[in-house]
Amino acid sequence: MTDLIDAAAQKAVEAIDYHRLNELVQEVCRIPSILGDEGPLASFLADYMKNSGFEGVGLQDVVGERPNAVGELGFGTGKRIVFTGHMDTKPVSIGWEKTSPFSGELIDGAIYGHGIMDMKAALVCQIVAMEALRDSGVDLAGTVAMAAVSDHMGDQLGSIRYFDEYAADLAVLGELSGNEIFLGHRGRYYFDITVQGRSAHTCHKPLAVNANLLAAHAIIELDQSRLTPALEDWVVDLFGAETYMAPGRVYGGLPPGGPSMIPDECVIRVDCRPQPGVTVEEVRAEIEHCLAAARTRDSRFRAEVELVDVKKGYLAEPGDEVVELMRDSVRSVRGGAEPPLQAAGWLGDTASFGDKVPTVIFGPGGEPVYCPDEHLSVADIVEATRVYTEFAVRALTPRESA
C-alpha cells in the first residue's frame, strides 16, 4: 500500500508546472494587499482559479471590499482538506535597494516582493499544487479546497467566515515556517490597564496626581514579569517556559500642541503571548500581582483591568493524522530525512479555526520577515509546492485502491 501511495505522490509531483509556479508568484508580488486593501489580490486569485477550471470559485464576503478568494477541486467522495493562508500584509518597510517592493523581480535565484514570505508565495504554492493533482490524473477520493483569506492581521475575520461556512476534515495553514513542520503557535491576550490620577493645570502641579507617572510604575513591573505557568514538558520544549508579556502601547495625556494639563488617565495595552494551555485567568493573576507591586511604589496608584481581545494558541499533537501526513510528505520530498517538529511564537489564523479543524502549519519563508529587500528562493518555493502536492495525495488516496 505504501509503495502505491508513494508512486501516486511522485506522479503528482512530476505534474507540477514550475514555470507557471514562478510566474504566478511574481504576479501576486506585484499586487499590493496591505491590511485593508486585500480586494485586488482576492479578485486576481479568484479569476485565476476560475480560468484554471476550479469549482466553486468565488469572492466570499468578509468585510467591506475585502473578500476571501475561494475555490476547490473535487475528486469524488471522501475527505475535504483545505489549503489556506492570508492575503493581507503589513505596511511596506523602508530601505529597499535591490528592487522595488512590488516588482516581483527574479534576482540570483530568488523572487523579491513585499509580503512574499507572509504569505503570498504559499498561496501560489497551494494553488499550483492543486493543479498538479488534477493534471496528474492520480486516483483520489475527496476534495481539495483553497481559502485565501483576508483580515488575518486584523481580527481574523476571513478565516472565521470561511470555516463558519465551509466544512473541513483536515487543513494546512501555509504560514511561514521555513518549510518545517509547525505543530502550532502561541496565542494573544490583550489587557487594557487604565491608571487613574487627578488632573490639574501644569501651574497647579501640587494639586495633581499625574496618571502617566503612576503608569510608569506599572510599566516597570509588567516589563519585569516572568510568568512561567505549569505546562507539560513537551509543550515547554516547543515554546519555552515563559509566557511573554509586555506593556507594548501607552496612551496618556494630551497630544503635542494641546493645552497644558497634567493627565488624570493613562491606558497601558499589555500584549501577552501565552503558550497553548495558559488560561486568561493565569495571565490576569500575574497582571494583578504586577499592579500590586506598583502600588507599593506609590500608594496613590489606582487602576482598572479590562480584557479586550482573546486569540487562543493552537497545538496539534505528534501522532495526529494531519501531522503524520505532513511528516510523510516532507520525508518523501527530502529523500527520507526525518523532519523535526517545531512551533511558532507568532499568532496564526488557527487561533480562530484550529478548534474546529485538525491543522498543521507548513510554508516557505522565515525570520526575518517584513524587512527591506524581502525575498524567497525559488528552491524553497518549489519544495513547498512539492510538499503540498504530496500531502493532498496522501490524504486523499483511496485506501482500498492503495
Side-chain angles (χ1 to χ4, degrees):
M1 179 185 294
T2 300
D3 290 344
L4 290 174
I5 294 175
D6 288 344
Q10 182 58 36
K11 183 178 179 182
V13 167
E14 290 171 354
I16 295 172
D17 187 332
Y18 296 107
H19 179 73
R20 181 186 307 208
L21 173 66
N22 291 332
E23 281 199 337
L24 191 55
V25 171
Q26 290 181 285
E27 287 188 69
V28 299
C29 284
R30 295 173 184 137
I31 304 172
S33 59
I34 296 166
L35 176 65
D37 190 30
E38 300 97 322
L41 180 56
S43 295
F44 173 85
L45 292 175
D47 288 345
Y48 180 88
M49 288 189 284
K50 181 177 181 181
N51 292 334
S52 182
F54 282 47
E55 306 155 12
V57 176
L59 293 174
Q60 182 188 30
D61 288 339
V62 177
V63 55
E65 299 299 317
R66 304 163 55 199
N68 294 336
V70 303
E72 56 191 55
L73 291 173
F75 300 95
T77 302
K79 291 179 181 175
R80 192 171 193 277
I81 66 172
V82 175
F83 288 143
T84 186
H86 63 83
M87 297 177 290
D88 50 310
T89 73
K90 294 182 180 180
V92 177
S93 301
I94 296 172
W96 282 70
E97 294 180 355
K98 284 196 174 183
T99 184
S100 61
F102 300 108
S103 71
E105 192 172 353
L106 178 62
I107 303 173
D108 297 330
I111 298 175
Y112 283 68
H114 173 70
I116 187 172
M117 290 197 289
D118 191 23
M119 46 177 293
K120 290 184 173 182
L123 298 173
V124 172
C125 294
Q126 292 169 340
I127 290 172
V128 173
M130 292 171 66
E131 291 179 313
L133 297 173
R134 178 196 60 202
D135 297 344
S136 68
V138 295
D139 183 23
L140 301 176
T143 299
V144 186
M146 179 68 202
V149 301
S150 63
D151 197 53
H152 160 72
M153 296 175 191
D155 294 317
Q156 300 187 346
L157 297 178
S159 284
I160 292 170
R161 178 63 194 278
Y162 181 83
F163 287 98
D164 277 350
E165 187 170 328
Y166 293 92
D169 295 298
L170 302 172
V172 177
L173 176 63
E175 279 285 5
L176 64 166
S177 68
N179 278 357
E180 299 295 349
I181 300 171
F182 280 14
L183 297 179
H185 53 75
R186 289 177 181 253
R188 184 186 72 198
Y189 303 157
Y190 281 160
F191 288 86
D192 281 354
I193 300 171
T194 303
V195 181
Q196 298 166 345
R198 184 168 63 246
S199 64
H201 191 285
T202 307
C203 295
H204 303 145
K205 182 178 178 181
L207 301 177
V209 178
N210 191 331
N212 289 351
L213 171 64
L214 298 181
H217 295 305
I219 290 168
I220 291 170
E221 296 295 337
L222 290 162
D223 191 65
Q224 292 177 347
S225 166
R226 297 294 182 269
L227 175 60
T228 54
L231 296 166
E232 293 183 54
D233 289 343
W234 73 280
V235 177
V236 173
D237 290 342
L238 282 171
F239 293 97
E242 183 181 347
T243 293
Y244 299 129
M245 191 166 68
R249 281 171 270 183
V250 181
Y251 310 86
L254 297 168
S260 298
M261 185 176 180
I262 297 173
D264 59 1
E265 184 174 279
C266 182
V267 179
I268 306 166
R269 167 66 57 87
V270 179
D271 183 349
C272 176
R273 300 301 169 123
Q275 305 94 319
V278 179
T279 67
V280 169
E281 290 72 25
E282 288 176 291
V283 176
R284 183 187 288 272
E286 177 66 12
I287 290 174
E288 294 289 357
H289 174 77
C290 293
L291 299 187
R295 198 168 296 114
T296 65
R297 289 170 169 268
D298 191 324
S299 61
R300 300 173 299 173
F301 183 87
R302 298 289 183 275
E304 295 179 354
V305 181
E306 180 183 7
L307 176 66
V308 293
D309 183 62
V310 174
K311 295 288 188 296
K312 294 182 179 180
Y314 173 76
L315 186 59
E317 293 197 18
D320 286 354
E321 179 187 14
V322 70
V323 175
E324 290 305 302
L325 288 168
M326 185 57 76
R327 291 179 78 173
D328 290 343
S329 301
V330 175
R331 190 185 298 116
S332 174
V333 168
R334 294 182 181 167
E338 188 63 33
L341 300 179
Q342 303 180 41
W346 38 250
L347 182 72
D349 276 335
T350 22
S352 294
F353 71 82
D355 59 338
K356 298 179 180 179
V357 184
T359 304
V360 68
I361 301 168
F362 182 93
E367 303 298 339
V369 67
Y370 292 115
C371 54
D373 295 326
E374 183 180 347
H375 62 279
L376 189 57
S377 73
V378 170
D380 283 348
I381 293 169
V382 166
E383 183 180 63
T385 307
R386 290 173 175 169
V387 170
Y388 292 143
T389 303
E390 288 225 11
F391 178 91
V393 171
R394 295 175 187 281
L396 298 185
T397 295
R399 299 295 150 171
E400 58 273 14
S401 66

